[in-house]
Amino acid sequence: MTDRFAYPLFAAVLVALAVYGVVRAITHARGRRLAWAAVVVWMLATVFMTVRPGTGRGVRLNLVPWPDGRGSAFDAILNTGVFVPLGLLLATLGWRLVLALAAGLAVSLTIEVVQYVSDLGRTADVNDLITNTLGAGIGWGAAWLLMSLRSRPRGG
């Protein structure tokens, strides 16, 4: 699949999963199978997009957080957004924040290690670890907020 189609399709999948997570949070949906299926879809789509050949050559590694700013802000926003659906879904499955953050970090670390050890022309980047984990936390927090707002008794 060419990048021309892969990126828009990936974005559409992420938006659909995020919307599903928000709906689950608002409605306090009980079904777990569909939510776990959504997590699997997120995982497969994310792995497909991050562990495939890039445009660079050789093994590249960045261990310096926020190095020079060129493209960093845009990448940070994108990387954060990719992991928001994971946090949303895990929160609606009843995961605690610490576990959702650990899952985001573990998935991100796995992706970065694979990018580093395989010669895919991609950069293994500490900034990705930070922003991906942040995205999982933001997604979890958004779901928690929506679930807690829905749980409040309506006063009058």
Side-chain angles (χ1 to χ4, degrees):
M1 180 180 294
T2 66
D3 287 349
R4 184 173 142 197
F5 297 109
Y7 287 110
L9 181 58
F10 182 54
V13 167
L14 292 176
V15 168
L17 292 172
V19 168
Y20 173 67
V22 167
V23 168
R24 277 187 59 82
I26 291 171
T27 63
H28 288 267
R30 299 255 186 231
R32 298 177 64 81
R33 283 189 180 155
L34 189 55
W36 277 113
V39 170
V40 169
V41 167
W42 175 86
M43 181 73 73
L44 292 172
T46 301
V47 167
F48 173 76
M49 290 303 292
T50 58
V51 184
R52 63 194 195 114
T55 57
R57 292 182 166 251
V59 176
R60 297 181 302 180
L61 177 66
N62 175 37
L63 297 176
V64 179
W66 321 114
D68 60 13
R70 286 179 292 154
S72 294
F74 184 70
D75 285 345
I77 291 167
L78 290 178
N79 285 328
T80 301
V82 167
F83 276 68
V84 166
L86 177 65
L88 282 163
L89 293 167
L90 293 179
T92 66
L93 285 165
W95 285 42
R96 295 189 183 273
L97 175 59
V98 168
L99 291 178
L101 291 172
L105 178 63
V107 170
S108 183
L109 182 61
T110 301
I111 290 167
E112 298 306 312
V113 167
V114 169
Q115 287 177 342
Y116 179 71
V117 299
S118 59
D119 189 8
L120 294 171
R122 301 183 75 87
T123 301
D125 194 335
V126 69
N127 295 311
D128 293 352
L129 291 175
I130 296 166
T131 55
N132 293 345
T133 305
L134 176 66
I138 289 171
W140 189 96
W144 177 86
L145 181 64
L146 291 169
M147 290 185 293
S148 65
L149 289 174
R150 173 99 171 146
S151 299
R152 289 186 184 175
R154 298 182 191 258

